[in-house]
Amino acid sequence: MQSPTDCIFCAIVSGRAAAAIVYRDEHLTAFLDLFPVVPGHLLIVPNRHAKGLTELDADAASRMVAVAQRLAAAVRRSQTPCEGINLFMAEGPVAGQTVFHCHLHLLPRHGDDGFHVGGSFLNRLNPGRDQLDALAASLRSALSTLEATAEHTE
Ligand code: 5GP
Ligand code: ZN
């Protein structure tokens, strides 16, 4: 996909907009969030525009996690307070995505950081074994349809 001219993360990747860049290679760029929820809040983005995880190619997706792992190690060695780490990604407005260029948030966490995982993440449903089995079966079926389609197009 061509870089949309109004995408702020494409502008950062291309150098048209300023950012505090921490890591860059031919596939990915990582920079500090302008409005961090904790100190050291990083965003890891593919250099090539993709709206969300679904549109991202598999290679870029796995590179994103590999870079997150290296950055996590770097953060732990740095001055940034870090006793733990959260990774977070939103796809779509309903999930809280506000910038529509796929990105992985890396949040260095420490005891007094004041950041709380939303209450609804802690309030769990209790679906029961039958419902879980039925859902798993429908997901396995969707997955094999996808894999069959991929085999035909390879
Ligand atoms: P989302 O809500 O889509 O998961 O995350 C978008 C993130 O991008 C937010 O954490 C927001 O603070 C950050 N952000 C928005 N605009 C800019 C910008 O111009 N520069 C940087 N560095 N971060 C930005
Ligand atoms: Zn973009």
Side-chain angles (χ1 to χ4, degrees), residues 27-66:
H27 306 283
L28 300 168
T29 302
F31 50 89
L32 287 169
D33 197 294
L34 197 53
F35 310 102
V37 297
V38 288
H41 180 169
L42 283 163
L43 300 171
I44 301 158
V45 312
N47 291 344
R48 202 164 145 203
H49 184 87
K51 212 156 53 158
L53 183 65
T54 306
E55 287 188 357
L56 193 64
D57 65 80
D59 181 53
S62 52
R63 285 175 191 277
M64 250 177 156
V65 175

Side-chain angles (χ1 to χ4, degrees), residues 100-115:
F100 296 94
H101 179 132
C102 185
H103 51 279
L104 186 60
H105 296 259
L106 188 156
L107 308 178
R109 300 296 311 278
H110 67 99
D112 302 322
D113 63 18
F115 179 78

